[in-house]
Amino acid sequence: MNHVLTTGRLVLRPVGTRDLEELRAHWTSPEVRRFLFDGDVLPAAEIAEIVETSERDFAASGYGVWTVRRREGIGQGAEPQGAGLLGTAGLRSLEGAGVEVVYSLAPSAWGYGYATEAARAVVEHALDTLGLPEVLAEVDEGNAASVAVAERLGMTPFETIPGLLGPMTRYRRTR
């Protein structure tokens, strides 16, 4: 199965070892990790483990973590140009509760709708292509941008749980 996803402006490719340096730079940025990894700076070995786990998950389940980049020749105005890493999007197991959509964007890519576009492609892949019954999201209190993304994806809140950085709201979207 080809795991590359495309949207009107973006191409999402499964992460691989070729992406390790870009992922390290992206995921260790203070702005990016504010609501990601509970604010921790991941060591290189842990980032490599995420990539390895993602490769296994793609082989076993058809999902994992994708890099998010602009499609070649697409874009205009103030939007970031080129094929550089805009961010990541993915699906992961959420501690026995189901499958969660996750994403991160570089600050230069904020405000252009990329998070919603990438997350929508991932959620539709999960629900339509893979036939999963639902997709979840956990959003930290105070992360208004992610609340807006979840709502634009048609997700609805269903529970609040404690998190390491404070309360988190769980959202879901079903088929």
Side-chain angles (χ1 to χ4, degrees):
M1 173 183 272
N2 179 3
H3 298 295
V4 174
L5 306 176
T6 58
T7 71
R9 299 180 297 166
L10 305 173
V11 60
L12 287 71
R13 288 192 171 81
V15 296
T17 56
R18 69 193 173 280
D19 303 308
L20 284 172
E21 280 308 307
E22 280 184 308
L23 291 172
R24 185 198 57 73
H26 176 68
W27 284 339
T28 58
S29 164
E31 296 93 345
V32 171
R33 66 180 167 76
R34 179 172 174 216
F35 293 112
L36 189 66
F37 308 121
D38 295 319
D40 291 341
V41 175
L42 297 183
E46 211 166 320
I47 293 171
E49 186 178 319
I50 290 170
V51 169
E52 290 171 16
T53 299
S54 178
E55 290 173 335
R56 282 194 305 272
D57 288 347
F58 271 112
S61 304
Y63 64 80
V65 178
W66 287 267
T67 59
V68 177
R69 299 176 191 278
R70 294 204 38 87
R71 287 178 62 184
E72 215 170 289
I74 304 291
Q76 56 185 329
E79 292 183 38
Q81 300 295 311
L85 184 71
L86 294 176
T88 62
L91 295 165
R92 67 178 186 159
S93 178
L94 185 59
E95 304 161 13
V99 174
E100 174 189 29
V101 61
V102 294
Y103 52 86
S104 62
L105 283 182
S108 63
W110 293 354
Y112 298 103
Y114 295 137
T116 301
E117 191 171 334
R120 179 173 284 120
V122 169
V123 168
E124 289 174 358
H125 175 74
L127 298 175
D128 299 339
T129 305
L130 300 178
L132 298 179
E134 69 179 2
V135 175
L136 305 175
E138 283 186 345
V139 180
D140 289 298
E141 182 176 79
N143 190 346
S146 283
V147 168
V149 169
E151 290 173 350
R152 285 191 293 269
L153 294 174
M155 300 183 108
T156 55
F158 69 95
E159 116 182 278
T160 300
I161 61 169
L164 290 176
L165 303 177
M168 294 189 301
T169 302
R170 280 190 172 165
Y171 292 77
R172 79 165 39 108
R173 178 169 157 197
T174 59
R175 272 199 281 162

